[in-house]
Amino acid sequence: MPDADDVRRTALSLPDTTEKIAWSMPTFRVAGKMFATLPEEETSLAVRCPKEERDELVLAEPGKFWIADHEAGFAWVRVRLAALEDGDELRDILADSWRQAAPPRLLDAYPELGLPKAD
């Protein structure tokens, strides 16, 4: 089960990512744009997620994903760290959120991160 240290290490391994405290919690930003936070005493992760996909995730895996009331109008979803299978799942979630916030120059420079894996 990944923990807050794994989140921090994985997020900071993504290109041009920095950590900044905002709203009394760690936030992770790519090129200055936030893509992840560690709220709820660092037992969960908040990441960018298109609303349509977010709603599907919450319906499919409510033990893992949920929507915080104050984020309902935004394209963000919460992830319970204890419900994640392993570090690979954590990296996939963080990389997906990173892609949504990263500028085109970074997506072009890191093509392995620029597009989701084809099924």
Side-chain angles (χ1 to χ4, degrees), residues 14-32:
L14 296 167
D16 203 16
T17 295
T18 58
E19 180 176 354
K20 178 181 178 182
I21 299 297
W23 306 287
S24 300
M25 71 179 126
T27 67
F28 300 92
R29 298 158 190 262
V30 55

Side-chain angles (χ1 to χ4, degrees), residues 62-84:
K64 187 180 293 186
F65 300 101
W66 89 99
I67 302 165
D69 291 341
H70 67 280
E71 293 169 345
F74 302 97
W76 286 79
V77 69
R78 298 287 178 101
V79 185
R80 289 175 180 87
L81 293 178
L84 293 177

Side-chain angles (χ1 to χ4, degrees), residues 65-116:
F65 300 101
W66 89 99
I67 302 165
D69 291 341
H70 67 280
E71 293 169 345
F74 302 97
W76 286 79
V77 69
R78 298 287 178 101
V79 185
R80 289 175 180 87
L81 293 178
L84 293 177
E85 294 174 23
D86 55 28
D88 289 340
E89 185 178 23
L90 172 63
R91 181 164 177 81
D92 288 346
I93 289 168
L94 284 167
D96 186 57
S97 186
W98 180 91
R99 280 191 294 273
Q100 293 175 58
R105 69 175 172 79
L106 285 175
L107 296 175
D108 291 343
Y110 298 92
E112 73 280 8
L113 292 172
L115 295 173

